[in-house]
Amino acid sequence: MLQETENNNAPTSKHTVEIAHQVPHGSSEGIPLIPLDAVAGFPAESSGGVRLEDCERYVIPEFENKGANFLIRVSGDSMVPLYYSGDLLACRKITDIRFFQWGTIYVLETSQGVIVKRVQESLDHADSILCVSENSSVHHPFLLPRDDIRSLSTIVGLVRLV
């Protein structure tokens, strides 16, 4: 909850503005929080399928207005300083996974798990994409075969807890 304040940071009223809230289990309202980590590093082992009805759900109007389909937590340091371990990413699924905007960061579900990477064209391997980390001094780029991409999502929002 946020409380309105004046310039001197003293509360001017007890009016609060709700920017997000969790909804009861079993509700179809809100955005599901996928109980898997999007690895900001090399892919981890797959954790199997996730049923959306088993997920915690949150109402976050700003993300719903941007078309977010799900939330997922970042794990690892390869996308630092852009995304940190523990960040929640609001994602919108892309239906046509054959087209990429080179240089864009995506959440990719692969046979090895879910990863967060900047995607570049692989000039030498037309059947693969190049996955690039922001923290490139520690994490080197790697090739990901296009046919190993199970789903593709863009990032439309971020929640960082401090």
Side-chain angles (χ1 to χ4, degrees):
M1 301 279 215
L2 297 178
Q3 192 172 41
E4 293 181 2
T5 61
E6 288 183 9
N7 290 341
N8 63 4
N9 291 329
T12 58
S13 72
K14 294 191 183 213
H15 175 74
T16 57
V17 178
E18 186 174 65
I19 57 172
H21 70 273
Q22 186 175 1
V23 295
H25 183 73
S27 174
S28 61
E29 181 186 15
I31 305 168
L33 172 59
I34 306 298
L36 301 173
D37 288 340
V39 179
F42 285 99
E45 289 185 31
S46 177
S47 299
V50 173
R51 295 174 4 152
L52 292 181
E53 59 267 18
D54 294 335
C55 297
E56 293 178 7
R57 299 179 79 87
Y58 294 87
V59 173
I60 307 173
E62 289 291 326
F63 294 165
E64 290 175 339
N65 293 341
K66 291 182 175 185
N69 303 108
F70 66 93
L71 301 167
I72 195 161
R73 190 175 313 277
V74 174
S75 173
D77 67 352
S78 75
M79 295 306 286
V80 169
L82 204 52
Y83 303 120
Y84 292 86
S85 193
D87 285 352
L88 292 176
L89 303 178
C91 303
R92 181 176 53 227
K93 279 189 93 161
I94 297 174
T95 54
D96 185 357
I97 64 173
R98 297 172 295 165
F99 174 76
F100 292 93
Q101 289 182 318
W102 303 125
T104 298
I105 296 174
Y106 291 100
V107 175
L108 303 110
E109 181 186 4
T110 72
S111 63
Q112 299 295 307
V114 181
I115 59 174
V116 180
K117 292 291 170 212
R118 185 174 303 280
V119 172
Q120 299 288 352
E121 183 176 16
S122 172
L123 300 175
D124 299 331
H125 301 90
D127 61 340
S128 295
I129 59 170
L130 187 63
C131 295
V132 181
S133 299
E134 291 297 295
N135 191 356
S136 59
S137 63
V138 177
H139 300 276
H140 302 290
F142 61 90
L143 291 173
L144 177 66
R146 288 177 183 250
D147 63 2
D148 193 28
I149 300 170
R150 295 178 178 173
S151 73
L152 180 69
S153 301
T154 58
I155 298 167
V156 298
L158 166 70
V159 176
R160 177 165 295 147
L161 302 176
V162 292

